């Protein structure tokens, strides 16, 4: 059922299919490292089985038909007839990309047929290896009776489903139909646990089933019927004629060996957990899937509430009515708590970002012929979901550059005394109101001479210009800058590095680069935790008010009129033995007003760089709801946004990295003139 207030079932399927495909991809990538891991093979098979069945149920027939071939291939892997070779896994990964397209409704029969032909060839090649592995296994000792071998007499299957099975989307009739398809079937109903009518809950399942299956049937095929409900049910599978049958209350332990799959994983079982992974022991109602746009809308409402609360506080502050002040303080407390709760709801762990790079590294390793390993650190660090979405493309560029420019070939690494496999490390940690995401490689490092030569050739710097390492490395983010000797699919003019810088700066972030010859390079991205509401320092310059992000503020010091006049020649202050340049915002913004007698210097930092900003007055802390600037005002490089103050006036939010860059340029001009 769809319509106002009801989600389109096809849209629900697409969301859940994306979760299943992500889990399948991670299992396939793990399988490349552990090709004999039965649990991983089972996980891939379960995911493909779910996708096929759910796709057919929701009308995605092309997807169901295509996925069926991959499921059949992994069914043979699961039964030991086919080996999980790198070639087979690689083709199924390519098939998985096609499945994503089919979920989106993009049918390309030519591509699908080509992948299926490659899949058939890979299965044929892998079947020989699987047979060899099986023969070697058989020769390793006495051949024990295989639990999944077909029983000529048949099986007796007794099962009970959890009481809330139907609320989770499990239909017992479907399970019985699947059992009937396996062979001659007799079904007896177990009614011994039906409670008295007065205690009966019609929403719960109180029945059990005693099924006799006759014929040569594999035990694995029976277990497959219950693969998605196995964790929570009571199940006994015994050969007909066995001397002793297990009691109904003692589920067969061998049925657990097929792997664990929560009911949430099945697309018919309702919403999946927010992180896309099954949560053992959690009830289906413990998690709720909410469309991202609803969170964005709620965040906007919370922002409006914070602005209204700020107005109320300003009115109450100048009022003698104690009751009004009390209500204002209570609303301020509640709006603060609501804001914090809303921020937490929008936070997602960076593992959702880092996990997507495992496939990229796998593909780059095949494309470049280099052995590349990916390691991650700090995956539990949480960032606003909007930030996560916008960080993916920049990090893709940086990872591709590290693989192409940074890492050497296996022969070059052996010659340098390094392990053949290069390593890319993605790490994240929180630092105040920022998250620092680092991309590190253990390759050859950045060639300073080549960077400098290219910069001089491009006219970016003068031949005799003195630059620090940080200043030199920042040149690689200039549009069109590239030191690649040969243009390839991975490297070429610009390699998108200028796009990386623009994207990070649009997130109010900064980029820091470090490198050691022969040891590798490290690129650190410093990004605000959220883009919606920040703590700011409200200041006055002339008649106007501005907001400085509090996460950038280090300290505030006083600048008297005499000190201001003394520093007219060069705008530098000595701060605990270090010279710090400063900007007079009154002059930068051409306010046309005289300075206050006692101005303030607010020392801000972006990474290792520090700059002082001279203002007339510090008004105080301010919960800043960030509003986008119009296209006309967006060209003003000194501002990153705007906010509405309690009295309804607008205050511009200062872009600290841009102001730091402006101060450095001003200092360079003074040095050149001096």
């Amino acid at each position: 059922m769809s319509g106002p207030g009801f989600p389109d079932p096809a849209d629900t399927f697409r969301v859940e299919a994306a979760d299943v495909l992500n889990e399948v991809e991670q299992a396939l990538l793990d399988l490349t490292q552990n090709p004999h891991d039965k649990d991983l093979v089972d996980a891939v098979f379960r995911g493909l089985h779910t996708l096929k069945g759910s796709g057919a149920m929701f009308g995605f027939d092309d997807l169901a038909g295509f996925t069926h071939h991959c499921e059949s291939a992994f069914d043979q892997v699961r039964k030991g007839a086919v080996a999980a070779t790198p070639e087979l896994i690689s083709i199924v990964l390519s098939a998985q990309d096609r499945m994503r397209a089919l979920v989106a409704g993009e049918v390309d029969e030519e591509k699908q047929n080509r992948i299926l032909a490659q899949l058939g060839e890979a299965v044929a090649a892998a079947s020989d290896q699987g047979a060899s592995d099986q023969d070697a296994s058989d020769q390793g000792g006495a051949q024990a009776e295989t639990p999944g071998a077909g029983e000529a007499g048949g099986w007796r299957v007794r099962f009970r489903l959890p009481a809330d099975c139907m609320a989770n989307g499990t239909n017992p009739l479907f399970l019985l139909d699947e059992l009937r398809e396996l062979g001659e079937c007799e079904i007896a109903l177990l009614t011994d646990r039906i409670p008295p009518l007065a205690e009966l809950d019609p929403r719960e399942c109180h029945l059990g089933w005693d099924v006799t299956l006759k014929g040569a049937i594999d035990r694995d095929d029976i277990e497959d019927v219950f693969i998605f409900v196995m964790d929570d049910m009571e199940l006994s599978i015994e050969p007909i004629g066995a001397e002793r049958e297990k009691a109904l209350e003692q589920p067969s332990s061998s049925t657990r060996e097929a792997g664990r799959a929560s009911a949430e994983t099945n697309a018919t079982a309702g919403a999946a957990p927010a992180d896309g992974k099954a949560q053992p022991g959690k009830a289906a109602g413990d998690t709720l899937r909410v469309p991202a746009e609803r969170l964005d809308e709620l965040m906007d409402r919370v922002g409006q509430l914070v602005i209204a609360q700020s107005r109320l506080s300003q009115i109450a502050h100048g009022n003698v009515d104690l009751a009004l002040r009390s209500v204002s303080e209570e609303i301020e407390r509640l709006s603060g708590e609501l804001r914090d709760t809303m921020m937490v709801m929008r936070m997602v762990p960076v593992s959702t970002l880092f996990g997507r790079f495992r496939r990229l590294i796998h593909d780059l390793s095949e494309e470049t012929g280099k052995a590349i390993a990916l390691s991650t650190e700090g995956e539990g660090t949480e960032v606003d979901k909007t930030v996560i979405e916008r960080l993916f493309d920049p990090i893709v560029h940086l990872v591709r550059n590290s693989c192409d420019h940074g890492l050497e070939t296996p022969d070059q690494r052996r010659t340098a005394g390094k392990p053949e496999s290069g390593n890319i490390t993605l790490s994240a940690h929180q630092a105040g109101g920022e998250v620092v995401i680092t991309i590190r490689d253990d390759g050859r490092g950045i060639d300073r001479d080549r960077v400098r030569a290219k910069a001089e050739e491009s006219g970016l710097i003068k031949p005799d210009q003195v630059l620090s390492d940080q200043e030199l490395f920042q040149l690689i983010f200039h549009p069109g800058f590239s030191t690649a000797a040969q243009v390839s699919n991975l490297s070429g003019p610009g390699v998108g590095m200028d796009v990386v810088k623009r994207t990070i700066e649009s997130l109010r972030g900064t980029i820091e680069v470090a490198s050691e010859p022969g040891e590798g390079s490290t690129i650190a991205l410093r990004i605000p935790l959220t883009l919606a509401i920040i703590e700011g320092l409200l200041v006055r310059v002339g008649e106007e008010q501005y907001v400085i992000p509090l996460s950038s503020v280090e300290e505030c010091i006083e600048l008297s009129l005499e000190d201001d006049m003394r520093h007219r020649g060069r705008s530098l202050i000595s701060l605990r033995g270090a010279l710090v340049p400063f900007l007079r915002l009154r002059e930068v913004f051409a306010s046309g007003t005289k300075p206050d007698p006692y101005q303030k210097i607010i020392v801000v930092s972006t990474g290792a760089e520090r700059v002082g900003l001279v203002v007339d007055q510090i008004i105080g802390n301010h919960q800043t709801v960030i509003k986008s600037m119009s296209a006309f005002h967006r060209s003003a490089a000194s501002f990153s946004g705007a906010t509405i103050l309690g009295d309804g006036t607008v205050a511009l939010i200062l872009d600290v990295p841009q102001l730091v860059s402006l101060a450095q340029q001003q200092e360079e001009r003074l040095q050149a003139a001096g």
Side-chain angles (χ1 to χ4, degrees), residues 197-247:
L197 186 60
E199 302 174 12
L200 189 142
D201 186 341
R203 297 168 296 181
E204 295 184 349
C205 177
H206 304 284
L207 302 174
W209 290 267
D210 188 340
V211 181
T212 302
L213 284 171
K214 296 180 181 179
I217 302 169
D218 282 351
R219 183 186 195 113
D220 286 344
D221 292 335
I222 300 174
E223 292 175 347
D224 285 349
V225 173
F226 303 100
I227 195 168
F228 297 113
V229 291
M230 191 178 290
D231 281 349
D232 303 315
M233 69 182 300
E234 298 177 9
L235 175 63
S236 172
I237 305 174
E238 295 294 339
I240 291 177
E243 292 183 1
R244 182 176 62 88
E245 293 188 356
K246 292 184 179 179

Side-chain angles (χ1 to χ4, degrees), residues 25 29 93 96-97 356-363:
E25 182 173 270
L29 293 171
L93 280 170
Q96 190 215 21
D97 293 338
R356 298 161 69 181
F357 287 95
R358 297 185 62 202
R359 173 67 184 280
L360 177 65
I361 293 295
H362 174 272
D363 293 346

Side-chain angles (χ1 to χ4, degrees), residues 86 98 202 453 459 483 486 517 531 549:
R98 186 94 294 271
T483 59
Q486 295 180 341
L531 303 179

Side-chain angles (χ1 to χ4, degrees), residues 452 461-469 471-472 668 671:
R452 186 174 186 92
I461 60 173
K462 298 177 181 178
D464 58 348
Q465 188 171 341
V466 178
L467 297 175
S468 66
D469 277 356
E471 292 169 332
L472 183 66
E668 288 172 2
Q671 288 178 351

